Amino acid sequence: RCRRCLHSLGGALSTLFALDAATAFGETGEARIVVYNYGSPRVGDAEFVRAYSDRVADSWRIYNIADAVADVPRLLGYKHVPNGVMIDGTKKVLQVLASPGSTFDTLDEDTFASDDVAMSRVFENELEFGANLLQGRGVSEHMEDFYFDGLQEVVMRYGSEDCWVKRGGGGGDVQDDA
């Protein structure tokens, strides 16, 4: 069993390592890969995400909604691997987005070829990204202590009225904006 729990660039590298290890050892049944990443950027294109999803089923990408690093790179068709877990800025919401179709990856060729509603959403997402950077949230929410505090708040408040956990369904009914 191989477990990895890394942050930022370490999370991106562990995603790449997980696919390599699963490809090398998974077919022999010698390894079960488990990945927990915090604040990891996108690391591959749609083909990479499909291969990763097929080989690394137990993978969780945890991110704060305003974390700028978890929202890049924004061009060239980079996609997030599935099983996103979003923590909102108030540290009271944990949203599990396990469906691969729930990931919203901005500024790729499919987005530009889509309808006006999708383009409006891209525009709103870009404004929010810029505002988070200008306000400092894009950087502060990337820090490891912010992740620790956010997860701790959700765990401590779990089950109370001021905390909720939502699980995203298939078919893209819940959008993952990071």
Side-chain angles (χ1 to χ4, degrees):
R1 178 176 242 191
C2 180
R3 294 182 192 168
R4 292 288 172 255
C5 179
L6 296 160
H7 175 257
S8 196
L9 176 60
L13 293 174
S14 75
T15 300
L16 297 171
F17 170 77
L19 180 57
D20 283 348
T23 301
F25 301 109
E27 296 185 15
T28 63
E30 294 177 31
R32 178 167 177 244
I33 310 297
V34 180
V35 180
Y36 295 93
N37 289 332
Y38 297 85
S40 176
R42 297 174 177 99
V43 295
D45 61 8
E47 185 177 326
F48 174 86
V49 171
R50 276 191 295 279
Y52 187 89
S53 299
D54 290 345
R55 293 180 179 94
V56 185
D58 201 355
S59 176
W60 300 94
R61 182 181 55 82
I62 300 141
Y63 64 94
N64 289 312
I65 195 162
D67 181 346
V69 173
D71 208 14
V72 295
R74 301 168 73 75
L75 298 170
L76 305 174
Y78 281 85
K79 306 280 185 193
H80 274 305
V81 294
N83 298 335
V85 179
M86 188 248 338
I87 304 169
D88 84 349
T90 65
K91 304 178 189 172
K92 295 180 183 176
V93 178
L94 183 70
Q95 187 168 354
V96 180
L97 302 159
S99 170
S102 68
T103 300
F104 179 73
D105 292 301
T106 62
L107 303 180
D108 62 10
E109 57 202 37
D110 294 333
T111 303
F112 287 117
S114 62
D115 60 28
D116 290 340
V117 173
M119 288 306 296
S120 174
R121 179 136 188 254
V122 167
F123 181 71
E124 289 172 18
N125 193 22
E126 293 306 299
L127 287 176
E128 185 176 350
F129 180 79
N132 286 334
L133 283 175
L134 288 173
Q135 296 167 3
R137 286 184 64 204
V139 175
S140 67
E141 289 199 18
H142 182 67
M143 300 296 115
E144 292 170 330
D145 58 338
F146 198 92
Y147 276 94
F148 179 78
D149 292 346
L151 287 169
Q152 189 175 24
E153 279 293 316
V154 170
V155 169
M156 297 296 284
R157 295 173 187 260
Y158 184 74
S160 69
E161 291 180 13
D162 63 342
C163 177
W164 56 273
V165 174
K166 182 175 182 181
R167 296 187 184 279
D173 55 279
V174 176
Q175 295 296 317
D176 176 358
D177 290 326

